[in-house]
Amino acid sequence: MSSSAATEGRYQALREAIEDAARLLPTQGPITVFVTQNTLQAFEDLPFDKALEHSAETFGCETYLPEGNYRDALTAGRIRADDVWEVLEEDLGMKAVDGVARLVSRIDLRLAMLQYPLRTGPAEELLWFVAMTDALRRVSAVTPVAAKQKLIAETRRWVMRDLRGRNGANGANGECCQPDWVNELFEKFGESKIESWNAETWEAVTLEALWRVCRDGVRSVPEINDNRPLPTRHRDLLLRIADTDIDLQVNPILIRFSAAFVDQGIAHWVLPDRDKGFFQAFASLYRKQASPESWLRQLGREVARLQDANTSAVDSILESLAALGVPQTDWNAFLKETALSLRGWTGIIQQIEARGDHVPYPIPAGTLTEFLAVRLLLERFALSEFSKKVLGYTGPLASLQSEILERLPHSTRSSEEQWAFNVFQLAQVLGWPPDRLRRRTAAEWTDLVREIDAFDSFQRRRMFHAAYEKRFHEQALDALSLHTPRPAPTPPRFQVITCLDEREESFRRHLEETARDCETFGAAGFFGVAMYYRGSADAHFAPHCPIFMRPEHYVEEHPEEATQETRRRRKVRWMLGTVLHKIHFGTRGLFSGAFLTAALGVLATIPLIARTLSPRIAAGIRTRLAHFVRPPCTRLGVERGASGSGLPSEQVGFTADEMTDMAKQLLQGIGLLQNYARLVFVIGHGSRSMNNPHASAYDCGACGGYAGGANARAIAQILNDSRVRAGLARHGLVIPDDTWFLGALHNTCDESLAVFDQDLMPGSHRAELDYALAAMEQALGGNAHERCRRFESAPLTLTFADAKEHVENRAEDLAQVRPELGHATNAVCVIGRRQRTRGLFLDRRAFLVSYDPTRDDPESTILARLLAAALPVCAGINLQYYFSRVDSMGWGCGTKLPHNITSLVGVMDGAASDLRTGLPWQMVEMHEPMRLLIVVETTPQAMLHLMSHDTALDRLVRNRWVRLAVLDPHSSRIELFEYRKFFPFRSVADHLPVAASSADWYRGWRDHLEFAEVGK
């Protein structure tokens, strides 16, 4: 092979290794457009359980709740004992009845390990526990009474029958030479007083003998070597043999520089040479700096050499890999570990590089590679310095890994003390007396220990979680199968189309209880309008569509006409923004900061005190003041036309045919093809709260992390267009001339509703509008009331009006870390006609997607389109909430309290940390982590057909990242997808609870509730 071919081969191998590492990085974008996605998206090609096991090893994060949480759920009835048995039986299959060491069946042993907590820990901790507590005096408190009595009685017979014949004499069974500890046992308790030993003494004798037998038995068990692969990073190996972490030196430098490089508007100065890329900007900055830290003193000279030689980032990585002695066979593993060492920052660099349309200041392609080049360069200097200080190693870095490996101690999975203590605990709860255990052969002891080891904490939690999900999914399916469908009113007084969001489930339910003559629908909250949108007060266009889509059209909001008043307000807004910007930067200066603080500090305290003492009043004043700078009346430029933004004319707005197609897809998707009301509301949703870094995480996921009001307004404007209606009529969709669509925005934090373009509505519809707005206002109060039952700060005795005031205060409170709970109750997605769920209390736990299977074609084209839009959004929300809840510090970003916004791309803990990804604890603390149950009103045949043509859907369902069931369109029959086919669901209940209204059902409760029939 020629040298050039070999070099190209190395380049290609390196590119593939970097791409492989990038797949493991977080897919979370900037925090200003926070969109919930599957945290383990890179593992979706694996079955769910396997993916969790693999990811736990890769990232060192938990993937299930602690065992104690599941046992509490078992005690509270949230998990049933029958469910635990069934999931164990299903998991073990034919092995369930196999015997273990002639003591117990495999399923009974595992059931005991689930029912009773096993104390685990290092050997030293367990020995301390045995010596310093009453572990050898009192049988475990969780031991059943019958097992305890059997244990002590059998031990007493053994002692009286066999042990007293020790001293070389044959016992009743012909056994001789009792172990040495027998003499110690009798000396301790007094053999001469054996006839007078009381119950407490016999209990202590039993436990002493049991512990000694367990310790003797496990000595014959072969050692289990730790065969898990060693890390390939030098830092991880060094950390195992020395209390030195080079990341503590490398990470602060990378964090500061990365924050400056990806900054989106916080920094006061632009990073020099930022436009040349990460690698060149770093070299330009550090070649001129002399660091006081000894390990960095040669950095300037090295980056100058690289820069002067025009060395690329790829070549620098190859140099570093050679210098560190990493063979090409280890490049993939090594670069994965390197990228994950600061995965928050590495991930955001990858995301901004891939989706520059989500930020005002994109970064160039190849930045991730350049980041890794800089990281490896810093690691080389840190390793060279600290390997000398810690190990006394002065050889080449290429041999450092071999040196460390030689010094690593031999590693095993468990110690004899840990094995013995596990058997000791299980023997108590299962009633295994010491004599019975003593008669086990070496092979049987090995069998027993291996079986206990195999069912470790991870596997126990896996089974618990399966039972946990099984219980809820059965309750949900029972509710859907037992619920009596309620047809929509004919004709409806008004109609409402909302986002499929589960927070709108309760709003729709309260609205239908308030106005029984209304009809509601649910759709993906961008309503089919994929666009780059810029509001009248926005500086940049932003993509309003699901994260996996890239819009092709731009839509702007602009003043209706350029009147003198409009121009005046624009000028005032510009002047005010300029002054505030200069003050902001001025307060950061040495002299100007001192002057401005003294001059304006007192004035700045006035709004601060107002926002603190009376958030609602302060918000009202702020809103009224904003009226003087906002445009008096605005319109959306939805139709194709000229733009003053310098954009290509073919990308500005939509043509009539494009608008017709969007309108048709929305109406067909939700099944609104006839029976139109005179007034139809299309309501997007968003969330506005004070002092909340994760505010965009409460916005619409289907709109890419933005509020959905602009999309709702756009589709309403499109549906009112006479040309669009004419085009729809040609497709058989006739909208009556007197039907009018209104776009609106539902603020899910303070429960307010803003309705757009009311001035364009015909005056003849005023009565319907007043009626609908009054009904929706009452429903918003009910929605606030239902939400307040979850807040500890809200008394359960609040009225609807008090609840509305409470949520308004939360939205404006500077100190409020829980302005709303977001998607913290999501668990189900129902795709079907509203009549199947109308009047069903779903506890804000269900995404509701409207779909009429009777109006679809034989190929289920409409359903395929709905699933393509809704499933990634709903599954992504569900899975990110799942992982952020089971490990808040690992997958989530922990508590909000120490968070600082960094570079407008994310949050750090304190002044410097890895960029925290995932959801904060305050958003997920009440969430029940479980996979999404998707129930589709269709046939098994139609669903299997769609799965065969949609690889993403097939992957999610077959690998069990979501659970799937189908609801027969013509009956209440439900079939659940398991093992590549559908099986009839057997109902476990025969009726649903009934309540007069939603409030009557949830009043007085804070926890999750069962589903119920309401509003009959």
Side-chain angles (χ1 to χ4, degrees):
M1 181 184 296
S2 66
S3 60
S4 60
T7 301
E8 180 56 35
R10 288 164 59 81
Y11 283 163
Q12 181 61 29
L14 181 59
R15 284 192 290 267
E16 290 175 358
I18 293 173
E19 290 174 3
D20 198 31
R23 280 192 284 269
L24 295 179
L25 295 175
T27 56
Q28 180 177 310
I31 199 169
T32 51
V33 287
F34 194 104
V35 178
T36 45
Q37 296 184 81
N38 181 7
T39 306
L40 300 185
Q41 188 172 343
F43 297 90
E44 284 183 358
D45 58 333
L46 296 175
F48 182 75
D49 291 336
K50 290 293 183 184
L52 265 56
E53 186 173 2
H54 188 46
S55 63
E57 295 176 356
T58 302
F59 298 100
C61 299
E62 298 296 338
T63 51
Y64 298 109
L65 290 171
E67 285 187 67
N69 290 42
Y70 292 117
R71 288 198 177 89
D72 290 344
L74 187 63
T75 302
R78 172 60 182 79
I79 301 175
R80 299 177 307 177
D82 288 347
D83 295 328
V84 177
W85 178 272
E86 288 178 18
V87 297
L88 276 174
E89 193 173 39
E90 179 183 339
D91 188 63
L92 289 169
M94 299 296 293
K95 297 179 180 179
V97 295
D98 289 352
V100 179
R102 293 189 297 120
L103 287 169
V104 65
S105 70
R106 181 172 276 108
I107 191 171
D108 284 328
L109 176 64
R110 295 194 172 194
L111 186 62
M113 293 175 72
L114 291 174
Q115 288 179 317
Y116 306 107
L118 295 181
R119 177 180 286 274
T120 58
E124 296 77 12
E125 178 185 324
L126 297 178
L127 291 175
W128 177 92
F129 181 80
V130 170
M132 302 303 292
T133 69
D134 63 355
L136 298 184
R137 294 191 297 275
R138 296 289 176 266
V139 173
S140 172
V142 300
T143 301
V145 174
K148 177 180 176 179
Q149 292 173 345
K150 175 185 175 183
L151 188 67
I152 297 174
E154 290 294 326
T155 303
R156 184 168 183 168
R157 292 192 188 94
W158 177 47
V159 170
M160 299 297 291
R161 184 185 67 228
D162 290 347
L163 290 190
R164 298 190 73 187
R166 60 200 187 282
N167 298 327
N170 289 339
N173 295 307
E175 297 168 352
C176 63
C177 299
Q178 302 290 353
D180 294 339
W181 57 261
V182 173
N183 287 328
E184 298 174 13
L185 188 69
F186 279 109
E187 287 175 10
K188 180 175 181 178
F189 291 99
E191 181 182 6
S192 61
K193 301 177 182 180
I194 192 170
E195 302 297 337
S196 61
W197 286 356
N198 59 22
E200 291 183 353
T201 303
W202 277 111
E203 187 174 348
V205 168
T206 298
L207 292 171
E208 287 270 7
L210 184 61
W211 175 238
R212 301 298 182 95
V213 167
C214 289
R215 296 194 70 176
D216 285 348
V218 299
R219 290 194 180 104
S220 63
V221 178
E223 188 177 72
I224 303 176
N225 292 326
D226 191 346
N227 294 321
R228 288 171 294 188
L230 289 170
T232 57
R233 273 188 82 208
H234 300 68
R235 172 263 181 186
D236 297 329
L237 293 170
L238 184 62
L239 192 59
R240 289 196 178 194
I241 63 172
D243 188 21
T244 299
D245 186 355
I246 66 165
D247 280 355
L248 297 180
Q249 279 71 43
V250 172
N251 285 350
I253 295 174
L254 274 174
I255 289 169
R256 290 193 297 269
F257 187 81
S258 298
F261 186 80
V262 302
D263 179 70
Q264 299 298 313
I266 285 184
H268 300 156
W269 299 279
V270 177
L271 180 70
D273 288 341
R274 182 184 186 272
D275 56 328
K276 295 182 180 179
F278 193 97
F279 188 71
Q280 289 298 324
F282 181 87
S284 297
L285 183 65
Y286 279 91
R287 72 179 294 163
K288 303 172 184 177
Q289 292 191 5
S291 174
E293 298 182 70
S294 60
W295 71 278
L296 281 176
R297 285 174 187 163
Q298 299 301 316
L299 177 62
R301 182 180 301 175
E302 177 64 12
V303 296
R305 179 188 71 81
L306 293 172
Q307 198 170 39
D308 293 343
N310 291 323
T311 304
S312 68
V314 172
D315 286 324
S316 177
I317 292 177
L318 290 173
E319 278 189 22
S320 294
L321 292 173
L324 292 169
V326 181
Q328 188 168 331
T329 53
D330 288 346
W331 283 3
N332 281 51
F334 181 83
L335 289 176
K336 281 179 185 177
E337 293 170 15
T338 301
L340 293 176
S341 61
L342 206 58
R343 62 189 173 106
W345 281 107
T346 318
I348 199 65
I349 285 172
Q350 181 199 29
Q351 288 303 305
I352 297 177
E353 179 184 335
R355 289 301 302 264
D357 57 336
H358 283 288
V359 292
Y361 306 107
I363 59 179
T367 300
L368 176 60
T369 299
E370 297 185 7
F371 173 91
L372 293 174
V374 171
R375 166 146 215 128
L376 291 178
L377 189 64
L378 292 171
E379 287 189 8
R380 283 164 51 190
F381 285 103
L383 284 168
S384 180
E385 175 79 8
F386 290 99
S387 61
K388 294 176 186 177
K389 289 183 178 180
V390 177
L391 304 179
Y393 177 76
T394 58
L397 283 180
S399 302
L400 176 60
Q401 192 174 67
S402 301
E403 177 72 17
I404 297 174
L405 290 173
E406 289 179 4
R407 303 190 189 192
L408 280 178
H410 177 64
S411 178
T412 59
R413 286 277 189 175
S414 302
S415 68
E416 290 181 359
E417 289 79 7
Q418 291 168 314
W419 292 338
F421 197 70
N422 281 338
V423 179
F424 177 70
Q425 295 175 89
L426 286 169
Q428 293 178 61
V429 298
L430 290 171
W432 297 339
D435 183 41
R436 190 177 179 195
L437 281 175
R438 188 177 63 90
R439 299 174 190 277
R440 299 309 96 191
T441 65
E444 288 170 339
W445 272 104
T446 300
D447 184 28
L448 178 60
V449 167
R450 294 287 190 269
E451 183 60 32
I452 294 172
D453 251 16
F455 200 51
D456 58 13
S457 176
F458 180 88
Q459 297 299 333
R460 293 195 295 272
R461 288 180 292 151
R462 181 173 68 87
M463 287 294 95
F464 265 135
H465 193 80
Y468 183 73
E469 289 185 336
K470 182 176 186 294
R471 173 64 172 154
F472 175 79
H473 290 166
E474 286 180 346
Q475 289 178 316
L477 294 176
D478 275 340
L480 290 169
S481 64
L482 296 172
H483 175 63
T484 303
R486 298 186 191 177
T490 304
R493 182 76 176 271
F494 66 94
Q495 292 165 318
V496 172
I497 306 170
T498 72
C499 180
L500 55 83
D501 194 289
E502 83 282 14
R503 289 170 292 178
E504 301 292 3
E505 180 272 322
S506 56
F507 169 67
R508 292 171 62 184
R509 174 165 32 86
H510 282 285
L511 182 59
E512 290 165 348
E513 290 179 32
T514 301
R516 294 177 181 270
D517 52 1
C518 81
E519 184 179 16
T520 68
F521 301 87
F526 75 116
F527 304 112
V529 184
M531 62 181 178
Y532 285 110
Y533 171 73
R534 183 167 69 182
S536 60
D538 296 335
H540 306 280
F541 283 96
H544 280 231
C545 60
I547 191 70
F548 55 86
M549 298 175 65
R550 283 183 183 265
E552 297 178 356
H553 303 276
Y554 292 78
V555 171
E556 291 183 90
E557 180 189 28
H558 51 79
E560 182 179 21
E561 54 184 14
T563 63
Q564 184 175 355
E565 176 66 13
T566 300
R567 287 190 290 270
R568 183 193 68 79
R569 294 192 183 193
R570 180 183 297 169
K571 185 176 181 179
V572 171
R573 187 166 64 249
W574 179 85
M575 292 176 60
L576 183 62
T578 301
V579 170
L580 292 176
H581 180 75
K582 290 184 179 297
I583 291 175
H584 173 77
F585 275 90
T587 56
R588 269 62 179 174
L590 179 61
F591 299 107
S592 60
F595 172 76
L596 289 172
T597 300
L600 304 177
V602 175
L603 294 177
T605 62
I606 296 174
L608 177 63
I609 293 172
R611 287 198 300 263
T612 303
L613 299 180
S614 185
R616 289 178 69 240
I617 294 176
I621 294 173
R622 191 168 60 250
T623 300
R624 284 190 287 273
L625 290 175
H627 173 74
F628 293 100
V629 297
R630 287 176 181 162
C633 183
T634 63
R635 297 286 184 248
L636 290 190
V638 174
E639 186 178 352
R640 176 68 49 82
S643 171
S645 304
L647 297 168
S649 59
E650 67 272 10
Q651 291 182 297
V652 178
F654 304 92
T655 66
D657 289 341
E658 289 170 335
M659 291 191 290
T660 301
D661 189 55
M662 287 186 290
K664 182 183 71 170
Q665 290 196 13
L666 175 66
L667 297 177
Q668 285 182 338
I670 64 176
L672 182 54
L673 307 179
Q674 57 188 21
N675 197 31
Y676 289 92
R678 279 167 51 84
L679 206 56
V680 182
F681 293 86
V682 185
I683 305 178
H685 70 93
S687 181
R688 188 182 63 82
S689 53
M690 182 68 68
N691 192 27
N692 182 11
H694 284 85
S696 67
Y698 298 101
D699 281 335
C700 182
C703 293
Y706 294 95
N711 299 74
R713 188 181 184 186
I715 195 65
Q717 186 172 327
I718 289 170
L719 286 164
N720 288 328
D721 191 302
S722 59
R723 295 165 302 166
V724 171
R725 293 195 178 189
L728 291 174
R730 289 193 293 271
H731 292 282
L733 300 175
V734 179
I735 299 176
D737 292 339
D738 65 343
T739 292
W740 190 261
F741 290 82
L742 280 173
L745 175 65
H746 173 202
N747 186 328
T748 57
C749 192
D750 67 9
E751 296 298 343
S752 61
L753 187 72
V755 181
F756 306 114
D757 301 325
Q758 296 184 50
D759 57 314
L760 299 179
M761 182 192 70
S764 58
H765 290 59
R766 176 54 58 181
E768 284 88 351
L769 177 63
D770 291 342
Y771 173 79
L773 291 180
M776 286 192 278
E777 187 62 28
Q778 187 174 344
L780 291 169
N783 210 33
H785 190 257
E786 184 171 337
R787 287 175 53 207
C788 280
R789 77 182 186 87
R790 302 284 193 174
F791 300 132
E792 293 292 341
S793 60
L796 291 172
T797 55
L798 288 178
T799 64
F800 279 23
D802 292 337
K804 188 73 158 53
E805 182 176 336
H806 183 83
V807 297
E808 289 171 353
N809 273 314
R810 295 183 81 90
E812 300 295 340
D813 191 347
L814 276 170
Q816 183 55 254
V817 293
R818 300 173 183 84
E820 69 158 294
L821 296 172
H823 301 283
T825 51
N826 82 87
V828 184
C829 177
V830 181
I831 303 175
R833 288 168 290 182
R834 178 57 173 164
Q835 67 187 58
R836 307 305 292 258
T837 54
R838 182 168 178 145
L840 188 59
F841 179 86
L842 294 172
D843 202 20
R844 292 170 59 90
R845 308 201 70 173
F847 300 103
L848 297 178
V849 185
S850 292
Y851 165 65
D852 190 342
T854 64
R855 298 182 182 276
D856 208 346
D857 59 35
E859 298 297 313
S860 300
T861 305
I862 295 174
L863 179 57
R865 190 165 60 238
L866 290 176
L867 287 170
L871 185 60
V873 173
C874 298
I877 290 171
N878 171 263
L879 289 166
Q880 186 157 51
Y881 269 79
Y882 174 102
F883 291 110
S884 293
R885 174 62 180 85
V886 297
D887 191 345
S888 178
M889 295 303 295
W891 304 120
C893 59
T895 177
K896 286 181 177 181
L897 301 183
H899 287 173
N900 283 316
I901 297 178
T902 304
S903 307
L904 285 182
V905 296
V907 294
M908 296 191 303
D909 286 336
S913 78
D914 193 5
L915 208 62
R916 300 307 308 271
T917 58
L919 299 164
W921 175 248
Q922 287 79 6
M923 287 180 69
V924 300
E925 58 189 317
M926 63 163 284
H927 181 61
E928 282 195 330
M930 65 181 73
R931 285 169 288 181
L932 186 70
L933 172 65
I934 301 175
V935 184
V936 184
E937 188 180 2
T938 188
T939 64
Q941 294 76 20
M943 203 67 230
L944 290 171
H945 170 75
L946 292 179
M947 289 169 61
S948 68
H949 289 79
D950 187 333
T951 55
L953 171 64
D954 186 70
R955 182 174 64 247
L956 284 173
V957 173
R958 291 192 188 276
N959 287 336
R960 298 168 71 92
W961 290 89
V962 297
R963 306 303 307 278
L964 175 66
V966 294
L967 175 61
D968 186 81
H970 307 293
S971 70
S972 60
R973 176 185 173 87
I974 292 178
E975 295 188 56
L976 188 62
F977 185 83
E978 296 279 1
Y979 307 110
R980 301 185 177 276
K981 65 166 84 172
F982 284 94
F983 294 88
F985 168 71
R986 293 176 299 172
S987 181
V988 295
D990 56 8
H991 71 282
L992 281 177
V994 177
S997 68
S998 294
D1000 289 328
W1001 181 244
Y1002 66 70
R1003 195 186 305 274
W1005 296 93
R1006 294 203 187 274
D1007 296 330
H1008 299 293
L1009 295 175
E1010 289 186 63
F1011 299 155
E1013 297 264 13
V1014 294
K1016 276 193 172 182

